[in-house]
Amino acid sequence: MATGLLLSGTIAALLTSVLPAQQHQSSGGFEDPPPDKIVIKVATVNGSGCPQGTAAVAVSEDNTAFTVTYSDYLAQAGGDSAPTDFRKNCQLNLLVHVPQGFTYAVASADYRGFAALQPGAKGTQRASYYFQGSPNTEYRTHTFGGPYNDNWQATDSTDWAQLVWAPCGVQRNFNINTELRVSTGTSDPDEVSFMTMDSTDGDISTVYHLAWKECPES
C-alpha cells in the first residue's frame, strides 16, 4: 500500500460556465449548476492502483462533472503474478471549493477500463464515496466473469432522494475509494487474468456527474 502523497497546486483548472444561474429545480429534481467557477484540488492520493503522478483530476466547463484519469491501475492473478497483484486500490481525498450558497452531491459515476479474464476467472470493480466526518458511505460493486477480453464499463447511479450532499457552509473533503480485484477461480492457474482502469493506447477516465442545489439561507 502506497503512502499518502501531498500533491501541490491546483490540478483542476478554474472553469466558468457561460449559462446564467437558474433559481428553480428541473422536473427531475436537479438544480441547474451554478455559473461561478469551482476548484478541485487533490489533497492526498493513496493506494497501490495510483502511484505518484498517475492520477489527475479535471472539472468540466459546465460544472456538471469532474474526471479522474488513471495511467497505472491494474490488478492481475495467475501465471507469475505477485501474491499482492490480485487487488489494487486508490483513495482520492479531494478539496472541492464550490460557489457560495450551493452544495453538491455525486449523482452518478462512469468507470471504464479493459479486462482479459480467462474462462472461470472473475474481475470485480468496487467504489465508495463519503464526505470527511460523515457516517454515510455509499458502496457500489460490479463483477465480470471470464471468458472476457474487451473494454468494460460500469455506472453507479443514485436516486435524488438518496443523494449524500456536502454540508452547507462547512469545508469537508470528499473521499473516493476505488478497487479492482481479480481471482483465478476455476481458470488455469498458469494463465494470467487482469483488469485495468487504464489502457495501453491512452488513459481511460472515470467521470463523476454532479447534482447541485442551493443551501438554505442561514
Side-chain angles (χ1 to χ4, degrees):
M1 178 78 65
T3 57
L5 302 171
L6 180 63
L7 302 186
S8 61
T10 302
I11 294 181
L14 310 185
L15 299 171
T16 304
S17 171
V18 298
L19 298 177
Q22 301 293 323
Q23 299 302 318
H24 63 276
Q25 292 182 347
S26 68
S27 59
F30 287 81
E31 188 77 33
D32 291 321
D36 298 329
K37 63 188 178 184
I38 65 174
V39 184
I40 296 180
K41 295 181 181 180
V42 178
T44 58
V45 55
N46 184 26
S48 55
C50 50
Q52 184 176 10
T54 65
V57 181
V59 184
S60 68
E61 294 188 9
D62 59 4
N63 282 357
T64 62
F66 66 91
T67 299
V68 181
T69 303
Y70 302 99
S71 60
D72 190 17
Y73 203 149
L74 180 148
Q76 66 180 45
D80 59 356
S81 303
T84 57
D85 286 346
F86 80 99
R87 176 184 179 271
K88 294 297 175 71
N89 78 300
C90 183
Q91 176 170 318
L92 294 175
N93 183 280
L94 305 177
L95 292 85
V96 183
H97 300 273
V98 302
Q100 185 174 2
F102 283 87
T103 183
Y104 73 96
V106 172
S108 65
D110 299 324
Y111 295 91
R112 298 179 179 88
F114 185 85
L117 304 174
Q118 300 295 329
K122 184 176 75 171
T124 302
Q125 181 270 329
R126 189 172 192 245
S128 64
Y129 321 91
Y130 66 95
F131 292 100
Q132 183 179 14
S134 172
N136 297 318
T137 303
E138 293 291 324
Y139 294 95
R140 299 288 189 273
T141 301
H142 304 274
T143 59
F144 302 84
Y148 193 101
N149 188 32
D150 202 350
N151 295 317
W152 63 267
Q153 179 172 341
T155 298
D156 298 342
S157 298
T158 303
D159 292 336
W160 175 265
Q162 303 300 319
L163 292 177
V164 178
W165 298 93
C168 286
V170 180
Q171 178 63 55
R172 296 284 176 84
N173 290 8
F174 183 59
N175 292 274
I176 301 171
N177 291 305
T178 57
E179 178 182 313
L180 292 179
R181 286 177 181 260
V182 174
S183 62
T184 55
T186 59
S187 67
D188 184 345
D190 293 329
E191 298 292 332
V192 175
S193 293
F194 69 88
M195 188 173 183
T196 77
M197 245 190 287
D198 62 15
S199 69
T200 56
D201 59 352
D203 296 336
I204 296 295
S205 299
T206 299
V207 181
Y208 297 87
H209 302 276
L210 300 179
W212 293 93
K213 70 176 181 180
E214 288 184 286
C215 291
E217 295 183 4
S218 57

